[in-house]
Every structure is written in C-alpha cells, then in structure tokens.
Amino acid sequence: MAYISLQHVGKRYQMGEITITAVDDISFEIEKGQFAVIVGPSGAGKTTLLNILGGMDNCDEGNVWLDGRNVSRFSARELTTYRRYDVGFVFQFYNLVQNLTALENVELASEICRDPLDPAETLRSVGLGERLNNFPAQLSGGEQQRVAIARALVNSPSVLLADEPSGNLDSHNRDEIHRLFFDLRERLGQTVVIVTHDENLAAMADRKITMSDGLILGCETAR
C-alpha cells in the first residue's frame, strides 16, 4: 500500500433539505516523500479533501490510510493524537499569536509534541535565523508564513498539509514560499500535500491531482 491512500472517499453536508456532495468517490495514492498538489476551481472539494486527510473532518464513506493506519476508522481521541503528532498544518492565513515572537510561536507548538525538533533550529531551516525574536507585526507576509511552516514542522510530522499557503502573498513572497516547500521535500524527504490554484506550483510537484465538483478529473505523476 502507498504511504497515503484514499479509497472511494465520500463526504456530504446537509444544508436544510439540501444535500451537498463535497467529495464523491475519491481514490488516489501518494508515496512517501512525494510533493503532491491538489488543484481545481473554488468549490471543487479540495479543502474538504485536505481536512479529511488531516483528521479535521470525517468521511462518510471510504477509507483514508496513512502509513498503514486507517485514519477514517480512528476514534475522536485517536484523531486528536493523529492531528497533534502526525500532521503539520499550514493555512493561507498564518494564525500566529501576535504577542509572541517567532521563536515563541514555534516553541508553543513544540510543547505539545512527543519528540519535537529544536524550535530555533527549525526556524533557521526555513531561513529565519535572524528573525527569531521578532513579533509577527515586525515580519513580512512571507516571513510570517515561514514561521507558520516552522511551527508545522517542529513536531516532525508524517505529512505536511498546506491549504493555499501562498494565497495571501505577493508574487515575490509566493515564489519564495513555493521554493521553500520544494526544498523541504528535497532536503528533508518530507511528504507534502498542498491545495493550490497556482499552476506554477503544480508544475513543480511530483504528483498533480485535479478536482472539479467533488470528483477527481486527473491524477498525474510528473516525475
């Protein structure tokens, strides 16, 4: 079995009398250490799929496997442990604690880990060695996103998930963040799954999964 395997995954939401199918019979695989992107228009089901993979939402049918474990069969307590120890999340909006420095933001995340990396070294690994004691307001958008990435990495996650991580950045910072994700895959062998609208980022990926209306339209292996 592949490192990540989704098998006939479905998810529906009830809005009054209307049933909305967000994800419909989705199946794909991602190998350990691959850099994968999920692309498609708004409303395609990309974020829902990422949330299911990350244990933040449950699927209604199908199975989600990570490293031989069936995440879709986890109890609520097991999902909490899974999110804490196995998954690193990076969001479009950085969600940093504004009255904590960059280092303190990463240290805060490290306190709930079993075997965390060194927070300062993790920040240095994303290019922020000179900004450890700066507060978020003193950092550019790209630098704040690097702090968020360091925070996601400090627990040595099995998989790094990112939802439009460059969507709030200008073109220069967007390109820098894209290169950083690619570098993490090359340097650390980190398994990365990113939801994006950016075709330039998709062109860098090992695997490109295209969605529309809750369906998989294509699943390409680039290299």
Side-chain angles (χ1 to χ4, degrees), residues 31-136:
E31 299 297 336
K32 185 175 177 63
Q34 279 193 322
F35 179 78
V37 297
I38 304 172
V39 300
S42 297
K46 305 184 303 296
T47 295
T48 298
L49 194 60
L50 198 73
N51 288 343
I52 290 171
L53 177 57
M56 293 192 292
D57 207 347
N58 297 307
C59 56
D60 293 317
E61 62 261 346
N63 295 285
V64 179
W65 295 83
L66 176 72
D67 196 17
R69 293 170 295 162
N70 192 341
V71 177
S72 51
R73 297 294 177 262
F74 281 178
S75 67
R77 183 172 183 178
E78 287 171 325
L79 280 174
T80 298
T81 301
Y82 171 72
R83 290 191 298 266
R84 179 176 293 179
Y85 299 139
D86 290 291
V87 182
F89 290 100
V90 180
F91 302 98
Q92 179 175 349
F93 300 100
Y94 324 121
N95 298 330
L96 301 178
V97 181
Q98 294 299 307
N99 63 344
L100 297 181
T101 65
L103 180 59
E104 290 168 340
N105 266 277
V106 179
E107 286 176 336
L108 184 65
S110 74
E111 290 174 1
I112 62 171
C113 302
R114 282 181 296 207
D115 189 21
L117 302 176
D118 179 82
E121 286 301 319
T122 306
L123 281 164
R124 292 187 185 100
S125 75
V126 299
L128 290 179
E130 303 299 318
R131 307 292 256 163
L132 302 183
N133 296 315
N134 288 93
F135 292 94

Side-chain angles (χ1 to χ4, degrees), residues 142 146 170-181:
R146 286 174 182 267
D170 60 36
S171 59
H172 172 74
N173 281 304
R174 180 183 66 232
D175 291 343
E176 289 293 316
I177 291 300
H178 290 175
R179 279 193 288 270
L180 175 59
F181 276 112

Side-chain angles (χ1 to χ4, degrees), residues 7 86-87 125 141 153 170 192-193 223:
Q7 302 168 349
D86 290 291
V87 182
S125 75
L153 288 172
D170 60 36
V192 180
V193 184
R223 55 196 188 116

